[in-house]
Amino acid sequence: MNVKDKILEDAAKGLVGFAEAVAKLAAASGSVAELGEARIDHARRERCGFPEFVYGAGKSLEQLLAIVPEIHGRDRAVLVTRVSPGHGEALAQAFPAGEHDSVARTFRIRDSGAELRGNVMIVTAGSSDAAVAREALHTLEACGVRGELLADVGVAGIERLFASLDKLRAADVCIVIAGMEGALPSVVGGLVRCPVVAVPAGIGYGAALGGVAALLGMLSSCASGVTVVNIDNGFGAACAAARIIGLMR
Amino acid sequence: MNVKDKILEDAAKGLVGFAEAVAKLAAASGSVAELGEARIDHARRERCGFPEFVYGAGKSLEQLLAIVPEIHGRDRAVLVTRVSPGHGEALAQAFPAGEHDSVARTFRIRDSGAELRGNVMIVTAGSSDAAVAREALHTLEACGVRGELLADVGVAGIERLFASLDKLRAADVCIVIAGMEGALPSVVGGLVRCPVVAVPAGIGYGAALGGVAALLGMLSSCASGVTVVNIDNGFGAACAAARIIGLMR
Amino acid sequence: MNVKDKILEDAAKGLVGFAEAVAKLAAASGSVAELGEARIDHARRERCGFPEFVYGAGKSLEQLLAIVPEIHGRDRAVLVTRVSPGHGEALAQAFPAGEHDSVARTFRIRDSGAELRGNVMIVTAGSSDAAVAREALHTLEACGVRGELLADVGVAGIERLFASLDKLRAADVCIVIAGMEGALPSVVGGLVRCPVVAVPAGIGYGAALGGVAALLGMLSSCASGVTVVNIDNGFGAACAAARIIGLMR
Amino acid sequence: MNVKDKILEDAAKGLVGFAEAVAKLAAASGSVAELGEARIDHARRERCGFPEFVYGAGKSLEQLLAIVPEIHGRDRAVLVTRVSPGHGEALAQAFPAGEHDSVARTFRIRDSGAELRGNVMIVTAGSSDAAVAREALHTLEACGVRGELLADVGVAGIERLFASLDKLRAADVCIVIAGMEGALPSVVGGLVRCPVVAVPAGIGYGAALGGVAALLGMLSSCASGVTVVNIDNGFGAACAAARIIGLMR
Amino acid sequence: MNVKDKILEDAAKGLVGFAEAVAKLAAASGSVAELGEARIDHARRERCGFPEFVYGAGKSLEQLLAIVPEIHGRDRAVLVTRVSPGHGEALAQAFPAGEHDSVARTFRIRDSGAELRGNVMIVTAGSSDAAVAREALHTLEACGVRGELLADVGVAGIERLFASLDKLRAADVCIVIAGMEGALPSVVGGLVRCPVVAVPAGIGYGAALGGVAALLGMLSSCASGVTVVNIDNGFGAACAAARIIGLMR
Amino acid sequence: MNVKDKILEDAAKGLVGFAEAVAKLAAASGSVAELGEARIDHARRERCGFPEFVYGAGKSLEQLLAIVPEIHGRDRAVLVTRVSPGHGEALAQAFPAGEHDSVARTFRIRDSGAELRGNVMIVTAGSSDAAVAREALHTLEACGVRGELLADVGVAGIERLFASLDKLRAADVCIVIAGMEGALPSVVGGLVRCPVVAVPAGIGYGAALGGVAALLGMLSSCASGVTVVNIDNGFGAACAAARIIGLMR
Amino acid sequence: MNVKDKILEDAAKGLVGFAEAVAKLAAASGSVAELGEARIDHARRERCGFPEFVYGAGKSLEQLLAIVPEIHGRDRAVLVTRVSPGHGEALAQAFPAGEHDSVARTFRIRDSGAELRGNVMIVTAGSSDAAVAREALHTLEACGVRGELLADVGVAGIERLFASLDKLRAADVCIVIAGMEGALPSVVGGLVRCPVVAVPAGIGYGAALGGVAALLGMLSSCASGVTVVNIDNGFGAACAAARIIGLMR
Amino acid sequence: MNVKDKILEDAAKGLVGFAEAVAKLAAASGSVAELGEARIDHARRERCGFPEFVYGAGKSLEQLLAIVPEIHGRDRAVLVTRVSPGHGEALAQAFPAGEHDSVARTFRIRDSGAELRGNVMIVTAGSSDAAVAREALHTLEACGVRGELLADVGVAGIERLFASLDKLRAADVCIVIAGMEGALPSVVGGLVRCPVVAVPAGIGYGAALGGVAALLGMLSSCASGVTVVNIDNGFGAACAAARIIGLMR
């Protein structure tokens, strides 16, 4: 009996844990690329429907310069989020096919041939939410999903929102970004049928507590079925939308 | 020179602090009634425009039985808030002219001859806010102010609010009570000109944090000029409204 | 020119706000039923894809006895959540077609003829999460969605989860309920493509802070695209899932 | 039947939601000006009694340079709050009719012909509250309201407050700004009849928690009818005062 | 060389730590009485100036029945704080020389022969602070210190305080108890020379956060030299006062 | 090629994820026992060195009556923690070999033949920490580890601790339980070489915040190498100690 | 009757409030100096036993340059705390008799002729607490009190503290400064008779929460009669000590 | 009788406290080195098994330049943690035998001759945890313990962890570092027998709250026997591991 059969048999008998069996098989596989202190998970697209994206915060330029081509070699689209201005510019110089957006804090290499699917409406309460909205837009595109922006329609002048009600009702998913009291997702959630993903924004002073007031408000929303992601996490909201659009095939 | 002149002279020269001068004068006055551990401030109506109300929480029945007639002897209206069910019933038996409302947790003796002034609209987001709304109504009445209730018009079905927009716009003051995310005052504040006093309600589970989510949201409201009182504090909101109506003489 | 034309014309000219125009039209409509202090929003199914559900906490039995038939008269399915044991039993007696589940804290009248759509997997970390899971199941059914339970597969014995990986990967949506550190959604989110809705459970002692630890953990999940609802909010997670399944028509 | 009549009729019959009806009418109106990612709400003065002010934080200079003349074209007074020093100076250069106050963090173009109404007393506990007080003063003026400053009368030397008691009692509204323990509004609220709007200031070390201690204290004030706005929110307090003064016409 | 000398010598040479040396000496001493799971520290009066008091919360009746006579055997005065009603009554039956105060939650055996020293004024903001004030009074007496109560002089009717200014200024120490916003110690601290010990009381609703608002306010007091003890900790404030009075010998 | 070989081959080639391979193998195994909504993880002793214990909180009596014999059938020792008084007594009746400790909130069936290893000292600051200490003792015993109790040696009478220094220094592991300010682990950690596991206890009033003050203090300990478990988690501290003792074989 | 008599009479009859009477008297007094937005309270020494100190944070250099000579003209000692480095140096240049300590963040003009009274021991847990300790020392001296420093005797090496026990026991007051878990005051409080004022220091990482962990720990101290001031508030602790020393005359 | 005998005798009789006895002996000892405001505890290695390390934050360069040689003179290994970049470089110049690691924020002089014992695996969830991991590695080495790094194996791609399961299971201690939701220690704790020390990392945005989310999650871990240290405290985790390895002699 060869080694693999032995592992298999032991696992089936319960002599070793299943995870342990897998661990032994793992040595033979190439789905994880080791780059010094980072490990690129090339199987993520297969498992989750989108490639591994790069969280740029806290990574050195050297790490980023190694990771970007490793991902690009397997996936056409590359997205680095929360990239510092300096690293973003350095990446743009190193990889001329890519582009750095200093507002969204992203670096990305777009897959120009990809066709975009779905219709995600990104709604913002104020004009100060632009950074979060653009991070969401870039992430949607990297996931192969079409996004559109509806900006500055907060509840203090609620008629601005109603003026765009047709657009909202035509969307497959609404991503709703709001700071301060974070009331906009509750209103939108009461007006549309589609999934609503709320993003608390970290703006506002004092008792807004850097987005915590909006976060708590959105979690407590009186509109049924609104879900929430982390503060300023346009990236996460877009991934959630992409998971939903992925269902519609 | 008599004692009073001496006090006056010393104060004018700065030899004693002014407060100290007053302290010495105070002995001759009868505006504070001492009832064991409580002191009734009969000058409050003169100073603040409404009589001293009684905060019932933590007071013994004996204390309440002594305080109520003391106030009633000077002011026609008596209001005890946050009264326990047992104390409320005992007060109603002891003072047949009064009435106990177990939902609002109030005991009150109404001044039937008083004329009510002004027009305060009490708006609630849900039907669970009734206790707070009724505490506010009773307090308004004890202050000589007219109140009206507009219930269950929360933002998840925002057309219910719009259907009553004329009423809102005719009000002198809006008291807006909402739990969960507390979004209703922001919407109301964007639709009316009059003062808006927001009351966070302590309902909702988990991340509503017993009203803290609504409180933070209301403080962070994107509608300019909304003010806020403590959680479930219908009493305080009504006093604030009474201060405002008092300006309109 | 009749009144409606006048309203319309004024709105088009900007002389009155649009919401005000709507407010005037609203008087002629019957989509909101007033029941004393409650207003039933019969247009919700049209707008949001599911009927108005009843949040039972803080409502009196009288309110519930009035609201349930009002809803049942228009919608076949009725769901009351967070109902107290006493009210639940009283409702079951008053409406024999309904059933009270004291673990899930729900009362519901099921629409036996309804066909269920979709495939939502409700995953729990421990056997103490049953109440939340059942609230989610009942809500899904009231929305016309099929749910299935996969219980007690928390990360401290992670092989229990892997043993059901096929089921997870076959789901349209995963609702993942976990208390304590709330790690399960991160692991599930890294293994499946479909939308993942995380529900923090309020169990655990001390530093679990009544579900806040799990809530913060889920919001901070390293798995991209996981969304979160309020603590113990099985109802909200199910509504979110129903919004998603509604897209798949 | 023309399009407007059709909308009207459908709304009256309940075939479409009211908000939806409004949305369709909105296309014909010009009360909202779109400036790239911002939407200026020119109907705000009509609805709320004061024009749309500009929250300068997080806006780019380009946005501000476009928004200021748009507002100035319709309203004589312009007020930008929380403007950064750089943007404030750039605005002052671009619009010589305006002035930048680096302490108050405002840029404003004053309406020199406007007559000021009312009598709002701005009371501060310490000399470190000047920035908040000046933001309030500038906002009052932009609302057409007269304000006056009574500075550095905190409770640790309470005779300083009593020395100005006549002024306090002559005011229509008191805005009371205090950091640290935020006790001043309770004392003022016990001495005057008029509305008292409390502003917690973010000064003080450690346990002052950046204004949270003062905020909680003010919300818990033992003086009845004190209302509260967000930390350091002199702007919001002034808008609240303007709403109150507006009642006095 | 005997054992003690050996220990001494080793310690002097640094061969063993000093604490270790002490540990070895400790075996020969009788200053700690072991009572099952409790150890009575009879040396406390010697070290700290007052005897060991008994914190009753969480102790079983059996523990209390053993501890009380052990302390009484050495010290004339016994004080048990935070005693439950049931345990308090049981102790009063077991030790007829003692008395149980169900408001203060204390059981005590007084040392009738003791002479009281000093002059501590216990000032309360409202009549709901009686329990804390009485715990402080009983503790002062057990420490041999004279206390007096000045009740219900909160800042919303500040003239009540001024009427007693002479008493305040004659005190050696002021213990100031206040709930809600906790403003009273700041005012008292600005009026007297003597030490001021502030006690936040856990009363008030919502944003009072069970005494945390008052606690933070007192810590942030603008009156210099006010010190603070834990919420509702009348016992601790009295011990602090006793330490101060102890200095005056 | 049989099914197992196919799985193995696919895994080795990276065609399927490894976890997925394991999932397919899992169906053939019997190491997880399904009991309705619970899954018993019989492989835990093999993986972690101690059997699966039962967290009793939130479990129904029916669940416990099914789980206890399932575990007892494989492992000699059974331990249920956080069991309610009613369930504890019912278990003791159903399984006469077991015993219920209402203070420690445990039900356990002891393995009388087991030999205990190691020497773990459980140190408590006060006599109110007994429940936590006993939970730790019972857990140690269920893990086959010897424990000893050193009670009521808190830092306010630090000589009580020094009197037992020899015992502390002879221990393999110290579990140190303290409420209030949680200072004891810092002192112990500065006196001994062995691992110190700190347990914050949820006693103390007000600012002790139910154990959070002690928890934060212990995490911030100035003594190097002290580790911390959850509030009142005597169980977890004992498991940690058992992991350490397990190393010493 | 002159004006003063009229005021007096009205106050005695209760026709006007007492505070109001004082307000009218205040106009004739010179004990408060108005300096633009600041009011100097020259009566503070008379009332509280120490002069008005200057809280430098948030004050402009112009304000400081005006306040310092105003105070110096009446009181020989001047103390400005929390002064920025730039302002400190500018003050030292403007007033050569003064000195700036950039570690303590103080500027002071010492009263060289003053005799120091009392014996206050300032104890620190670590060498990083120097800034707080020096602020306390300078404040003591400005109050005419003698202070001494005992540094770096934290509980992780508790023998360092015991080595100085004689000094501790000879002190009139102990000010104990500690960051991290803030355990030192509990140990000191258990060893001495004198008043102990605890100062939480804002050092330590993560869970120390900028001094909040130490603050909560000190408030929860198991040593009876320890009082606490705000985080890093060496100034306040020294004022508290001065109030105590003032009693000893 | 000489002085020492007298001390001894008094202590044995209980006339003086034991600690006091030690204090008197302490004067003769040289185990504590006084360096201005710092006291070096040379007995720490004897008591705790590792030398005194230097916490560099908040110390001046002068302090560090004095402390490093003082320690180096007694212990071969020196470790300064949390050293600022400037101080780190200055130390490296002053002591050429040492090395500064700007990522780990350490300065250390290694004891090249020391033999390393044990086998501690440092596991990180992401590549951003490198700084914490390196601080842990340097501390282990300074304690004479062998460490190894296993990086970037977080739970969102859980197969990366399983691929290294053999390594994990061979370790004596696992230090597990994770930010965001901090789930990794729960998974590792369920897979290994050895002690697991969890380190929350301060990375992640918004609701990660600077490591608090991970901290709470780790404390609430469903894996039995996981212990936790402070946020980013690689140093503390390593000291805890060294205490454990020290047991294995």
Side-chain angles (χ1 to χ4, degrees), chain H residues 22-154:
Chain H
V22 159
K24 291 176 180 175
L25 296 170
S29 158
S31 77
V32 173
E34 301 209 12
L35 294 173
E37 294 184 343
R39 279 157 218 259
I40 307 303
D41 179 4
H42 286 305
R44 184 158 297 175
R45 181 186 284 282
E46 185 56 34
R47 290 200 321 276
C48 299
F50 39 74
E52 187 162 48
F53 298 118
V54 186
Y55 177 64
K59 290 204 174 55
S60 68
L61 184 55
E62 289 64 36
Q63 287 179 307
L64 294 175
L65 289 171
I67 292 171
V68 166
E70 172 67 31
I71 291 180
H72 200 215
R74 297 247 191 152
D75 254 300
R76 278 165 308 202
V78 175
L79 176 68
V80 186
T81 61
R82 311 281 177 178
V83 75
S84 69
H87 289 182
E89 286 180 30
L91 288 172
Q93 287 193 328
F95 307 103
E99 55 199 280
H100 170 226
D101 179 334
S102 64
V103 171
R105 287 176 295 167
T106 57
F107 172 79
R108 53 180 179 152
I109 304 177
R110 303 162 83 163
D111 175 7
S112 55
E115 213 172 326
L116 300 179
R117 297 186 315 114
N119 171 22
V120 175
M121 186 67 51
I122 300 174
V123 187
T124 75
S127 50
S128 305
D129 302 321
V132 181
R134 284 163 81 157
E135 188 188 67
L137 270 170
H138 296 177
T139 307
L140 284 176
E141 192 174 323
C143 293
V145 172
R146 186 181 303 106
E148 186 182 349
L149 183 65
L150 176 63
D152 201 13
V153 293

Side-chain angles (χ1 to χ4, degrees), chain C residues 4-5 8 11-12 14 18-19 21-22 25-26 28-29, chain D residues 4-5 8 11-12 14 18-19 22 25-26 28-29 31:
Chain C
K4 290 179 182 172
D5 283 348
L8 201 62
F18 295 121
V22 159
L25 296 171
S29 159
Chain D
K4 290 178 183 173
D5 284 347
L8 203 61
F18 295 122
V22 159
L25 296 170
S29 159
S31 77

